[in-house]
Amino acid sequence: MSDLKYVGKSIPFKYADQKIAGDLKYVSDLSMPGMLHLKLLTAGIPRGKVKEIDTTRAEALDGVKKVYTFKNTPRRPFNGYYWYRDQEMIKDEVLLTDYVRHVGDRVAAVAAESSETAERACELIEVEYEKQEKPILDLEEALVGGDALHEKGNPFAEREFAYGDVDGLFAKTPSELIFSDKMETPKVHHAAMENHACLAYPEPQGKLTVISPCQLIFSVRLIISTLLDLPLNRVRVIKGNMGGSFGAKQETFLEPLAAFVARDLNRPVKIFFNRRESILATRTRSKILGKVKTAVSPEGKILGRDIDVIVDAGGYTSNGDIVSAAMAKKISRLYRIEHQRYHSYSVHTTTPPGGPCRGYGSPQIHALTEVNLDRAAAALGIDRVELRLKNLLHPHEKDLLGGPDIGNARIIEALEKGREEFNWTRKKKANQKSGRSGRYRRGIGVACATHVNGYYNVYPDFSGINIRFYEDGSILLNTSIHDLGTGARTIMAQIAGEVLEVDPEQITVLEGDTDRSPYDVGCHASRGTYVIGKAVQQAAVKLRELLLEETKKLAKNLPGVKPEEKLEVVIEEGRIRIGSDHYSYQEIISRIQLENQQELNVNYSYHSQANPASYGAHFVQAEVDTFTGLVEVKDYVAVHDVGQAINPLAVKTQIDGGVQMGIGMALMEEIDFDQKGYPLNTNFHDYHLINAPAMPEIRVFLIEDKEPHGPYGAKSIGEISTVPVAAAVVNAVNDALGKFLTTLPLTPPRIIDALY
Amino acid sequence: MSELKVYTPGEVKEVLKLLHDKEKVRILAGGTDLLLELIKLKREGCVLIDLSRIEGLEYIEKKDEELEIGSLVTFTDIHDNPVINKYAPALAAASGQVGSVQIRNRATIGGNIAHASPAADSLPVLLAAGARIKVLNAAGAETVLVEEFLHNKDKYRNHLITAILIPVKGDNMIDFFGKVAYRRDVATARINMGVRTVYQPENGKIIKASIFLGALSKTGVRADLVEEYLTGKRVDELERERFFAALRETVDKSIPGRYSQPYKRRAICGLGDDFLQELQREGSYE
Amino acid sequence: MKINFILNDEEKTVDIQPDTRLVDLLRERFNLLSVKEGCGQGECGACTVIIDGKAVTSCLILVSQIEGSIIWTVEGLEKSGELEIFKKYFKKHGAVQCGYCTPGMVMSARALLNKNKHPDREEIRKAIAGNLCRCTGYNNIIDAITAIAEEGGFGV
Ligand code: FES
Ligand code: FES
């Protein structure tokens, strides 16, 4: 381990200086000569068919270029989740709709010379609806109510995954060993600090370029090309600098509209949302309503589990079905459970669409199952950590649902480490002593969780890399990585630098540009470090080989070397040794260019070899004010099984950020609606995030035991870091109160309501 | 495409004239409340009177038994001011809990009173202390109780608040401010409370209690039941549960059947509890 | 309306609609893109600048209000050389991820250090309570500000 030079080091992020100085231009900062501003008119009602749209007043406004509605935009339905050809999915979204399915649905758009004019014009558009129809908000009602937003009806999708004999098991298990819970997790706003933005502009030869702070340039390209009937080579998508995503910018829904208008008007067109639009007119973390029934032996062995979930997809399908499958695939990768069933329905409701959101269903499903385990532990009188330890999977144990090998799974060590660092036993005793009385009550909670490392075996999971040496020994690493602000470019430079013994400072890492960079599936599903990082490592190995090979050719021509003589050529500490002479890269590479007339350039395509599980165990001490219902997180320990931290500081900040999001989900974040379907919190005044005073210090510990197929043994951290949080926090609150609260977030009124 | 007319008078009398002459006029002080409605103001073609060039409304002075605070003093300045911390500590405390640092650096006490959002943090303490404000219009000056102002906002619509007058806290008084919000910092009060109590130093008996609750109504709610309960008692005679019951009843009476009632009637006891602790700490009756 | 002020140590006069927001003036007229807009309602702090020594959200200020003011943005700190120490420690402590909140954080931190040369962690938390960051979870930012305060060197 210690012989690594760049991997395992906390190197500052690339472009950090520019970000601090405000020099880095985000997509929302971009402007171009002649650029038009495209402003959306989003629906102000939850549901209704558009009867008439009168755009004449808007069109008459000085500075308005054109007004768009369903009447003059493509009608072809799409799904923003589409990323490879012939992918099967429900396509039920259009650029601009004539039937409103949630407040914030896209109804019209105005292209104008200034954003203020566009905004003003939007206010002048008069939309008349046939009638305001009944909203669909309650998930259980949606399931049986017979009311639907789309042709497919409600529910629009059903899934079942099962193994073992669940019915048989529950039939023979005495009821006192069966533990049931019903849990609701909230519709959460991603809250990337940069609102959604994109810029589209026409180029010569009928080409269209789009700069987007997205996660899948090739998906954006595919969807635009499909909707606008353009061949792929006429659409160029460039990943722009982004102020955070967390999944919010993973799906494609704004870019095609900007692209269409840019083409229609032959002018650059920019969309830049405001906060209300980002909350209502993009994507959200899918809300779920889950039921779980777990059979546990008196000794604490989990015998079987039956899970029923309703996924709230919101007004459009998006990933409302896929996220359900993703949740299912986590249930057999944490504990050894011989009989299990997962069943789900997905329904449409008159609320903003769900979509990918950090963890992709994992935080939701773990909230359900980890809170439920605490109920079992309490009833059986088994310590909650012990109960988990009795059931956790060992490295390479089988995923009984048939998923890929879980790999070098080190969750047991993570949990044990956390127990020790958190002082679980001592804190538990202290709580027992103080009892559950007094105004402020303290509780402790723990949760374990698992998440993925890419798509291996489910979807295509490959990455093209182009890497080349410049003649001075510096490197260009051309990838389709999308740095979401996580430092992905720095991580890639560290990996390549390690292989090639070049300082990561000397490595330029390019982000995705569909015209210039090799194909990659995109930065999602926690595949950045594990898959793309591995691709980079392998490509760098090839480049190293090429360098040696060419050096050997060169060595033959060195003065004083006889042709038949074989000189040893090796790379040592970033220099090349030929025989007993040392040369810098610069010297050698320049000569390779001059004498061998060869570029040191490697194109490499790597497809993932596995999809091991990443793990985390989180421990929380929370204090509840039983008068006000406010919860303060007092102590927080997060232990993660990461294989190898490429950049420990980056890992730590990922975890802290993940915890921030998770505490929000547990305690305060929820896009809320009134009974008529109108949203109640559409700005940061009413939609609270965890701010600095509400954020606890996080004590992070890493289990670093290498993962076979990961680059230098690394596996994912970005998503898993937020997966156990809500469950652990809720468990701590429940412990403090002696309750089993399961409607998230645990807002002060909900806590008070449960207490009195 | 500006439809907002903005005037930037340099003299108070110009302000008064504008207030008198113009329709749909709004006064822009710090702007942290008003500018949230910027789009609406533009749409409605409002007229703004920007006070940023008015001088002389940013002072803090102690005059005998009263503190006088210019209406354009920001919450940061109030919170940091040693005189206010000494003579109106609850106001200093409340000022420290208005919004974020950035908001406190702009928001003014005059603006807070004029805007009079139901959850405004300064109001309960001003009400409890019996504060008055100086208002001006073209017809002349007037000094009016904050309480009266809040109940007659229409009457004072075209007035300019120039100063706030707060009776100072004496040695035999205990002031208190408490707030409950869904996030500890930078969040709107769900309920807040301002208290001023006067006690007899010899025996610690409370001889007068003035308690106002905010975020229950547009004008602040006097907790008369609670005042009654406290009056005439020594701190060590107070029964928590009866005190809480009076607080709860006050909430129940002001927002019967409201969605937030079950929460607020409980949360108020949190503030009551904090206040009792403060009484115990400060009530040096031994 | 003509408005005079000092922006990043340079005297400026602009002729502008008085109801323009300060954030728009800075971004559009002066191309000071460090000033970000994340909410437009004073709730996220991305647009924080320093006026007359104090951190304020430029989305809730009209240009008519800034006559005679002294305004600093991150670009000004860069020019004066003060930004160096922020760069050093924000990088060292991993306080920057996507970076969208960062200039606003820097301005809030800078204003805090005007007032309080040795803030403890709690005071730092309060000082940046109005600056939301979705990426870092704040702790690394607090580490960075702590280190900056320790190294010190800020005049008032
Ligand atoms: S944009 Fe000004 S505070 Fe958010
Ligand atoms: S670094 Fe992304 S919001 Fe703070």
Side-chain angles (χ1 to χ4, degrees):
Chain A
M1 183 182 271
S2 56
D3 52 353
L4 294 173
K5 192 152 181 215
Y6 303 115
V7 163
K9 301 289 179 301
S10 294
I11 294 174
F13 285 2
K14 288 185 177 290
Y15 305 98
D17 278 332
Q18 287 81 353
K19 290 175 183 175
I20 296 164
D23 288 341
L24 190 89
K25 283 198 181 177
Y26 296 81
V27 175
S28 54
D29 294 327
L30 299 178
S31 64
M32 292 180 87
M35 183 177 86
L36 295 167
H37 298 260
L38 191 68
K39 189 83 196 155
L40 294 188
L41 173 69
T42 58
I45 68 162
R47 186 180 181 188
K49 174 117 179 86
V50 175
K51 188 170 170 198
E52 199 46 66
I53 300 190
D54 185 353
T55 57
T56 44
R57 283 177 63 212
E59 278 152 4
L61 195 69
D62 212 25
V64 169
K65 188 81 181 144
K66 190 163 172 179
V67 180
Y68 294 88
T69 67
F70 68 93
K71 293 176 194 166
N72 57 357
T73 47
R75 309 292 304 138
R76 191 177 289 171
F78 67 97
N79 185 330
Y81 176 69
Y82 185 59
W83 48 279
Y84 59 91
R85 258 186 206 292
D86 307 323
Q87 191 180 8
E88 279 194 29
M89 54 180 48
I90 298 171
K91 295 179 181 173
D92 56 16
E93 202 168 343
V94 287
L95 293 183
L96 296 171
T97 191
D98 64 344
Y99 185 96
V100 166
R101 294 178 175 87
H102 62 93
V103 173
D105 207 352
R106 298 183 298 269
V107 174
V110 176
E113 304 289 347
S114 79
S115 58
E116 206 183 342
T117 307
E119 198 170 328
R120 191 67 230 281
C122 280
E123 288 179 14
L124 297 175
I125 298 174
E126 283 157 41
V127 187
E128 195 190 327
Y129 295 96
E130 280 180 3
K131 65 171 200 284
Q132 186 165 333
E133 295 176 49
K134 230 178 110 231
I136 305 176
L137 298 166
D138 185 281
L139 300 187
E140 282 169 319
E141 222 172 276
L143 210 53
V144 295
D147 189 7
L149 286 174
H150 296 277
E151 257 170 48
K152 264 232 157 186
N154 247 350
F156 65 87
E158 181 176 4
R159 294 248 177 190
E160 184 161 310
F161 297 83
Y163 61 84
D165 175 14
V166 175
D167 290 330
L169 174 81
F170 279 99
K172 69 175 193 227
T173 307
S175 61
E176 65 272 19
L177 294 180
I178 298 176
F179 306 96
S180 304
D181 273 299
K182 182 172 171 183
M183 153 117 7
E184 187 181 309
T185 69
K187 196 170 266 281
V188 167
H189 171 48
H190 301 76
M193 279 302 121
E194 183 189 27
N195 285 302
H196 280 65
C198 67
L199 171 64
Y201 53 96
E203 291 204 87
Q205 313 266 352
K207 186 151 187 157
L208 198 56
T209 296
V210 177
I211 306 180
S212 173
C214 63
Q215 296 182 227
L216 299 84
I217 46 168
F218 291 99
S219 166
V220 177
R221 182 177 70 166
L222 184 60
I223 292 176
I224 291 174
S225 114
T226 312
L227 289 180
L228 307 191
D229 276 322
L230 288 168
L232 290 177
N233 75 338
R234 293 265 198 87
V235 183
R236 176 182 179 197
V237 179
I238 301 170
K239 154 70 174 58
N241 292 318
M242 96 192 323
S245 175
F246 316 103
K249 296 160 186 171
Q250 178 170 326
E251 291 193 356
T252 306
F253 43 85
L254 288 183
E255 296 92 337
L257 185 62
F260 172 76
V261 175
R263 219 170 123 75
D264 188 45
L265 300 175
N266 202 31
R267 297 262 298 265
V269 169
K270 177 171 151 182
I271 298 179
F272 182 27
F273 268 7
N274 61 30
R275 186 53 59 183
R276 179 185 163 84
E277 291 163 331
S278 287
I279 292 176
L280 295 177
T282 65
R283 294 290 188 256
T284 60
R285 181 184 291 290
S286 310
K287 168 178 174 168
I288 71 155
L289 187 64
K291 286 186 196 155
V292 61
K293 227 166 63 176
T294 308
V296 186
S297 79
E299 300 74 40
K301 181 174 159 43
I302 305 174
L303 304 170
R305 195 157 63 180
D306 198 1
I307 296 171
D308 255 298
V309 167
I310 309 173
V311 176
D312 177 358
Y316 294 93
T317 296
S318 169
N319 71 343
D321 173 32
I322 308 297
V323 75
S324 174
M327 284 192 279
K329 288 173 185 174
K330 307 298 178 292
I331 62 171
S332 50
R333 294 170 75 77
L334 186 57
Y335 301 110
R336 193 176 309 107
I337 304 175
E338 273 160 35
H339 308 277
Q340 238 185 145
R341 178 167 57 209
Y342 170 98
H343 177 272
S344 75
Y345 286 117
S346 298
V347 297
H348 291 122
T349 60
T350 50
T351 62
C357 182
R358 198 176 198 172
Y360 211 91
S362 290
Q364 293 98 307
I365 194 71
H366 282 91
L368 175 65
T369 54
E370 284 294 292
V371 171
N372 174 247
L373 267 194
D374 271 25
R375 184 188 288 278
L380 296 171
I382 302 175
D383 174 75
R384 290 174 284 159
V385 176
E386 279 304 324
L387 178 78
R388 287 170 169 85
L389 283 172
K390 282 177 202 283
N391 295 282
L392 285 169
L393 294 177
H394 290 279
H396 301 289
E397 210 175 321
K398 210 169 149 52
D399 173 351
L400 291 175
L401 187 56
D405 183 8
I406 62 169
N408 186 16
R410 296 287 166 181
I411 177 63
I412 294 174
E413 275 141 281
L415 185 61
E416 285 172 338
K417 174 81 176 161
R419 173 166 66 179
E420 184 190 320
E421 298 290 350
F422 183 74
N423 262 316
W424 173 264
T425 315
R426 209 195 47 183
K427 283 196 170 96
K428 192 168 127 181
K429 286 213 184 97
N431 282 353
Q432 278 160 355
K433 229 187 270 158
S434 71
R436 287 194 188 101
S437 60
R439 172 173 174 180
Y440 296 99
R441 296 187 201 158
R442 285 195 177 194
I444 54 175
V446 59
C448 298
T450 183
H451 200 61
V452 298
N453 280 269
Y455 284 126
Y456 172 74
N457 255 0
V458 181
Y459 295 119
D461 194 4
F462 66 102
S463 189
I465 303 292
N466 170 258
I467 185 167
R468 58 183 115 133
F469 264 120
Y470 290 136
E471 53 269 42
D472 62 356
S474 63
I475 289 172
L476 181 74
L477 178 56
N478 186 7
T479 69
S480 279
I481 195 103
H482 303 63
D483 195 327
L484 314 182
T486 59
R489 279 172 291 193
T490 312
I491 304 299
M492 298 304 133
Q494 286 181 260
I495 292 170
E498 189 67 50
V499 175
L500 293 161
E501 302 183 32
V502 171
D503 188 333
E505 285 272 320
Q506 298 295 309
I507 303 176
T508 296
V509 183
L510 299 180
E511 290 190 88
D513 171 342
T514 57
D515 267 13
R516 305 217 168 145
S517 51
Y519 185 88
D520 175 71
V521 166
C523 282
H524 46 122
S526 280
R527 60 184 295 283
T529 297
Y530 182 76
V531 180
I532 307 175
K534 188 69 183 180
V536 166
Q537 186 187 13
Q538 303 281 69
V541 166
K542 295 277 174 226
L543 184 62
R544 187 181 164 112
E545 285 166 11
L546 182 62
L547 172 63
L548 285 171
E549 206 178 289
E550 292 298 322
T551 310
K552 279 179 193 154
K553 288 186 200 159
L554 206 63
K556 289 189 196 126
N557 305 329
L558 285 177
V561 175
K562 297 188 197 81
E564 26 348 304
E565 192 178 356
K566 270 222 158 101
L567 279 182
E568 195 192 9
V569 176
V570 288
I571 295 176
E572 283 176 356
E573 296 189 7
R575 291 171 69 81
I576 296 175
R577 178 167 63 77
I578 305 175
S580 57
D581 296 329
H582 286 83
Y583 301 87
S584 69
Y585 281 5
Q586 175 168 343
E587 286 170 276
I588 296 294
I589 296 167
S590 306
R591 288 183 62 176
I592 289 172
Q593 286 199 346
L594 286 171
E595 294 170 32
N596 301 8
Q597 301 197 32
Q598 168 72 40
E599 195 196 9
L600 294 177
N601 179 5
V602 165
N603 281 309
Y604 186 77
S605 180
Y606 169 82
H607 65 89
S608 183
Q609 307 297 306
N611 184 353
S614 284
Y615 291 97
H618 287 201
F619 290 77
V620 180
Q621 183 179 43
E623 183 177 271
V624 186
D625 180 340
T626 56
F627 280 126
T628 64
L630 276 169
V631 176
E632 189 178 342
V633 178
K634 290 285 193 191
D635 191 15
Y636 204 110
V637 166
V639 191
H640 280 272
D641 161 31
V642 297
Q644 159 78 52
I646 304 286
N647 184 327
L649 188 60
V651 170
K652 152 91 172 130
T653 62
Q654 279 300 304
I655 293 171
D656 276 39
V659 171
Q660 189 256 20
M661 265 185 118
I663 297 179
M665 173 176 164
L667 300 179
M668 54 178 78
E669 291 189 42
E670 175 178 37
I671 307 175
D672 207 1
F673 300 88
D674 70 11
Q675 288 171 346
K676 291 183 179 149
Y678 290 88
L680 295 168
N681 45 359
T682 59
N683 53 45
F684 284 145
H685 186 257
D686 302 317
Y687 185 100
H688 284 176
L689 304 185
I690 297 290
N691 58 4
M695 181 71 190
E697 304 281 347
I698 310 297
R699 296 191 280 140
V700 169
F701 302 92
L702 302 180
I703 306 295
E704 294 184 85
D705 197 306
K706 295 187 192 322
E707 184 62 47
H709 294 285
Y712 293 96
K715 53 186 173 182
S716 66
I717 186 62
E719 293 192 89
I720 180 69
S721 62
T722 204
V723 177
V725 187
V729 172
V730 171
N731 282 342
V733 173
N734 282 342
D735 181 49
L737 300 178
K739 304 260 174 200
F740 289 100
L741 305 185
T742 52
T743 302
L744 271 52
L746 302 180
T747 58
R750 281 190 180 135
I751 286 179
I752 292 308
D753 188 48
L755 281 174
Y756 302 96
Chain B
M1 199 200 42
S2 164
E3 278 152 48
L4 250 191
K5 195 112 188 66
V6 183
Y7 291 91
T8 51
E11 302 276 345
V12 167
K13 61 176 189 288
E14 290 174 58
V15 177
L16 301 182
K17 185 162 168 19
L18 286 163
L19 280 171
H20 181 264
D21 294 350
K22 302 285 174 191
E23 308 244 316
K24 292 198 236 170
V25 345
R26 305 290 298 268
I27 294 178
L28 173 63
T32 50
D33 277 326
L34 190 67
L35 296 180
L36 294 174
E37 305 167 41
L38 186 61
I39 292 172
K40 191 168 142 242
L41 296 171
K42 286 187 181 186
R43 191 190 303 135
E44 291 171 359
C46 285
V47 172
L48 291 193
I49 307 173
D50 170 2
L51 300 185
S52 61
R53 299 177 200 190
I54 300 288
E55 279 176 25
L57 295 182
E58 293 170 45
Y59 58 91
I60 296 170
E61 274 170 27
K62 179 166 179 292
K63 294 181 170 165
D64 300 330
E65 290 312 300
E66 232 168 25
L67 281 176
E68 182 164 340
I69 304 175
S71 60
L72 293 183
V73 176
T74 65
F75 284 114
T76 297
D77 289 340
I78 293 177
H79 180 62
D80 292 349
N81 187 279
V83 177
I84 293 182
N85 274 278
K86 178 147 189 237
Y87 294 108
L91 180 62
S95 302
Q97 294 206 34
V98 175
S100 61
V101 169
Q102 292 96 316
I103 297 298
R104 294 197 287 278
N105 282 339
R106 295 294 297 178
T108 64
I109 184 160
N112 207 234
I113 296 169
H115 195 261
S117 128
D121 289 319
S122 71
L123 293 181
V125 289
L126 293 174
L127 291 168
R132 296 173 303 152
I133 55 176
K134 282 190 189 166
V135 294
L136 283 179
N137 74 353
E142 200 182 324
T143 302
V144 34
L145 280 169
V146 172
E147 189 171 3
E148 220 170 286
F149 172 84
L150 294 176
H151 281 102
N152 298 288
K153 278 202 70 189
D154 271 352
K155 176 176 162 199
Y156 294 106
R157 209 178 34 209
N158 285 1
H159 287 61
L160 174 71
I161 301 174
T162 57
I164 291 84
L165 306 165
I166 306 157
V168 300
K169 173 176 120 46
D171 289 340
N172 61 334
M173 295 181 192
I174 293 170
D175 277 12
F176 174 82
F177 171 74
K179 164 179 178 175
V180 177
Y182 290 168
R183 185 172 59 189
R184 196 158 293 114
D185 291 79
V186 198
T188 308
R190 298 295 153 166
I191 191 152
N192 52 15
M193 171 161 113
V195 184
R196 173 165 284 185
T197 49
V198 186
Y199 61 90
Q200 271 170 344
E202 318 82 71
N203 56 14
K205 190 176 276 183
I206 296 168
I207 48 180
K208 187 169 181 296
S210 173
I211 304 180
F212 278 82
L213 306 183
L216 291 175
S217 78
K218 289 205 165 102
T219 53
V221 170
R222 177 184 281 276
D224 42 9
L225 292 170
V226 189
E227 294 176 353
E228 240 166 69
Y229 175 70
L230 291 176
T231 310
K233 295 200 181 55
R234 288 197 321 266
V235 175
D236 59 349
E237 286 172 348
L238 296 175
E239 290 168 56
R240 267 167 76 87
E241 285 315 315
R242 289 195 47 200
F243 172 62
F244 288 171
L247 283 168
R248 274 198 298 267
E249 209 180 322
T250 310
V251 171
D252 290 342
K253 277 197 336 203
S254 21
I255 49 168
R258 186 118 36 103
Y259 177 72
S260 58
Q261 183 194 355
Y263 177 69
K264 291 187 176 181
R265 70 192 303 278
R266 179 69 195 170
I268 190 64
C269 300
L271 296 181
D273 187 48
D274 292 344
F275 171 60
L276 285 183
Q277 288 190 26
E278 180 81 16
L279 273 185
Q280 264 141 22
R281 248 196 318 274
E282 298 286 320
S284 49
Y285 51 84
E286 295 92 332
Chain C
M1 181 181 280
K2 271 216 171 58
I3 297 169
N4 308 288
F5 52 96
I6 296 175
L7 177 58
N8 293 331
D9 214 19
E10 283 176 31
E11 283 184 30
K12 302 282 181 197
T13 301
V14 293
D15 195 358
I16 191 163
Q17 294 283 7
D19 63 349
T20 309
R21 301 179 310 161
L22 178 58
V23 60
D24 298 324
L25 172 77
L26 297 174
R27 285 179 62 85
E28 285 159 25
R29 189 73 71 99
F30 293 104
N31 203 30
L32 297 171
L33 298 179
S34 74
V35 188
K36 305 291 184 203
E37 182 167 351
C39 72
Q41 297 204 305
E43 291 285 338
C44 77
C47 67
T48 301
V49 301
I50 293 179
I51 297 188
D52 300 334
K54 289 176 176 160
V56 296
T57 47
S58 60
C59 66
L60 285 187
I61 294 174
L62 294 188
V63 294
S64 69
Q65 299 177 284
I66 61 162
E67 173 71 26
S69 299
I70 300 173
I71 304 175
W72 286 93
T73 70
V74 153
E75 287 85 350
L77 300 190
E78 166 104 279
K79 206 172 62 178
S80 74
E82 264 191 38
L83 198 62
E84 274 318 302
I85 187 169
F86 287 92
K87 285 186 178 169
K88 178 171 163 197
Y89 288 109
F90 268 59
K91 281 195 301 192
K92 176 161 179 226
H93 291 283
V96 184
Q97 284 195 40
C98 81
Y100 204 75
C101 71
T102 310
M105 286 286 180
V106 167
M107 295 318 278
S108 281
R110 181 66 191 84
L112 168 69
L113 297 171
N114 263 347
K115 210 170 146 169
N116 181 350
K117 285 198 169 33
H118 303 287
D120 62 26
R121 291 180 81 79
E122 249 348 272
E123 289 168 328
I124 296 172
R125 286 185 189 280
K126 294 242 180 231
I128 61 168
N131 293 75
L132 297 176
C133 172
R134 190 55 143 179
C135 300
T136 65
Y138 308 103
N139 290 322
N140 296 59
I141 296 172
I142 294 160
D143 293 344
I145 298 172
T146 305
I148 292 164
E150 268 164 26
E151 188 167 318
F154 289 103
V156 174

